[in-house]
Amino acid sequence: MSDCQSLGDCDDSRVQKIYEYLDQALSADDLAEIKKHLDTCPECAGEYDLECVIRSAVKRSCTELAPENLKASILERIHAMKAAEV
């Protein structure tokens, strides 16, 4: 049984470690500890999987280009607002 299961829940510091694990922002020892924990704790593994999905969606959306007609519409509105200020 993992320590999360025995406690009934993971605390915020454990979840923060999962984020740092994904960012590769931990020492080698901490990376190994979190990896081991994720292998034995379904609750933390679920949090890890959810964060992977979120990061993937954000990354994918950052590479999409806005349609030209949307860009033109936004620029028109900006110009109209500037003209109204004068």
Side-chain angles (χ1 to χ4, degrees):
M1 176 181 288
S2 77
D3 55 353
C4 290
Q5 291 169 322
S6 65
L7 294 172
D9 197 7
C10 291
D11 61 12
D12 289 340
S13 65
R14 176 73 75 180
V15 174
Q16 182 61 40
K17 289 280 190 184
I18 293 171
Y19 300 147
E20 293 170 357
Y21 175 83
L22 283 163
D23 293 334
Q24 300 284 309
L26 298 171
S27 68
D29 289 340
D30 286 341
L31 284 170
E33 175 192 335
I34 294 298
K35 170 70 171 115
K36 181 180 176 185
H37 180 77
L38 290 172
D39 289 341
T40 61
C41 180
E43 184 176 340
C44 287
E47 184 69 29
Y48 170 84
D49 291 342
L50 175 62
E51 186 64 19
C52 286
V53 168
I54 292 169
R55 288 174 183 229
S56 176
V58 168
K59 184 177 181 178
R60 188 175 54 250
S61 69
C62 289
T63 61
E64 295 175 4
L65 298 176
E68 288 301 319
N69 61 342
L70 176 61
K71 291 179 189 178
S73 174
I74 292 170
L75 286 173
E76 286 175 21
R77 290 181 186 175
I78 291 171
H79 293 301
M81 291 173 61
K82 285 185 177 183
E85 290 177 357
V86 177

